Amino acid sequence: MPIEDKKCSTDNMNIDALFGGSQGWIYKNSTDFAKDGIHLWRDSIKHNCYPIQDSMQRWPTKPTRYREVLSRYLEEMEVLSGRILEMINQGLGLEEGYLREMSQVQHLVANYYPPCPDPTLTLGLLKHCDPSLITILVQDGNACGLQVVNHNNGQWMGVSPLPNALIVNIGNQLSIVSNGKLKSPEHRAVNSKETRTSIAIFVNPSPNSRVEPAKALVDEFNPPRYSPTLYKDFLCSPKAYVLPS
Ligand SMILES: O=C(O)CCC(=O)C(=O)O
Ligand SMILES: [Fe+2]
């Protein structure tokens, strides 16, 4: 994307943009230095996707087919995420539709990791958990960039790209709703000498929904492990990106 188009985005991470306010989309480039001095090597855009037809008026206009192609992709993601959530719903023994009714295919983050001359000095994305119910990620190319923590030994494991495969990640909201039965994996992205692109679709609870352990999973032997929060408040807090406690 040309630099003048990147400048059309909002300057700061603004919650209004994410929940479909007047602001459009957020562009971040790889000049940020993280607190611990690691150089972040990534360009990204982030925007709201819900509901598709309204939110698309605020998406980038370039590339010229962006809105057309993305809206078709998101329609498919709505169907797919509904199916996945229904299966998780059954697995947890929740009443039919419980997860699907609270969910919206809501945010997109497109990540571009440019070729990096010395990947030992950089990270694409710092360690985090997703603040979603589930995230559906597609990654291109052959570069292995996504890593998850193996909780048995604390080591990072690479998630190799498979042709035409989607990665489905459990997010913090699903951990909370399941009262800790499902765990959100800590993950990060590393750089390489090859270009890599990934697109993450965050399937979130609606902004005003109260996120808390499902009543059906709580009893005197399994007390609630997390206190209720409104999703929009949770998303603004640092807790959104770390393992729920
Ligand atoms: O690029 C990747 O594989 C990771 C993306 C990711 O974790 C995110 O956007 O939350
Ligand atoms: Fe993530």
Side-chain angles (χ1 to χ4, degrees):
M1 187 183 276
I3 192 71
E4 57 277 15
D5 293 332
K6 290 173 178 174
K7 282 193 193 135
C8 298
S9 76
T10 57
D11 290 336
N12 299 309
M13 177 63 92
N14 186 322
I15 206 71
D16 185 48
L18 292 184
F19 288 128
S22 54
Q23 311 228 32
W25 44 283
I26 294 163
Y27 165 71
K28 286 183 116 187
N29 73 14
S30 47
T31 54
D32 306 337
F33 278 91
K35 277 193 255 77
D36 47 6
I38 294 172
H39 191 68
L40 296 180
W41 197 262
R42 176 183 79 130
D43 275 13
S44 67
I45 62 168
K46 180 168 189 166
H47 62 71
N48 181 272
C49 305
Y50 185 86
I52 298 173
Q53 288 309 319
D54 291 350
S55 65
M56 74 190 287
Q57 311 309 326
R58 295 180 296 273
W59 299 348
T61 48
K62 291 183 192 153
T64 42
R65 292 189 60 221
Y66 184 80
R67 293 181 175 185
E68 178 199 334
V69 172
L70 183 65
S71 57
R72 282 179 47 204
Y73 183 68
L74 288 170
E75 279 163 17
E76 296 298 329
M77 288 298 114
E78 273 183 359
V79 176
L80 179 68
S81 62
R83 283 196 198 147
I84 294 170
L85 286 172
E86 202 46 55
M87 286 191 274
I88 296 175
N89 207 80
Q90 272 182 26
L92 288 171
L94 298 173
E95 72 192 68
E96 203 184 324
Y98 186 92
L99 291 174
R100 217 182 30 208
E101 272 157 34
M102 73 187 294
S103 74
Q104 296 178 347
V105 169
Q106 205 178 62
H107 297 142
L108 167 141
V109 177
N111 301 298
Y112 170 68
Y113 305 96
C116 181
D118 188 350
T120 62
L121 300 176
T122 65
L123 274 179
L125 253 179
L126 294 173
K127 177 170 93 171
H128 67 282
C129 294
D130 289 344
S132 52
L133 282 163
I134 55 171
T135 307
I136 304 179
L137 185 89
V138 64
Q139 49 181 340
D140 81 333
N142 301 317
C144 187
L146 177 63
Q147 296 186 331
V148 290
V149 174
N150 177 343
H151 283 287
N152 295 325
N153 57 18
Q155 302 285 308
W156 287 104
M157 295 186 307
V159 182
S160 307
L162 294 175
N164 305 318
L166 297 169
I167 294 169
V168 181
N169 228 354
I170 290 170
N172 280 344
Q173 299 305 306
L174 196 51
S175 288
I176 293 172
V177 171
S178 72
N179 204 27
K181 276 192 165 176
L182 301 176
K183 313 270 183 235
S184 45
E186 290 177 297
H187 57 284
R188 68 179 186 180
V190 293
N191 300 110
S192 77
K193 296 197 171 172
E194 288 175 57
T195 302
R196 179 169 172 268
T197 307
S198 68
I199 298 175
I201 303 294
F202 293 86
V203 183
N204 293 343
S206 57
N208 289 314
S209 63
R210 218 168 103 107
V211 182
E212 60 188 336
K215 300 272 182 295
L217 301 177
V218 170
D219 59 28
E220 58 180 308
F221 305 108
N222 297 292
R225 296 171 60 174
Y226 312 103
S227 36
T229 34
L230 282 188
Y231 182 62
K232 64 179 177 193
D233 296 338
F234 182 89
L235 194 60
C236 298
S237 79
K239 287 196 305 190
Y241 297 91
V242 296
L243 280 176
S245 54

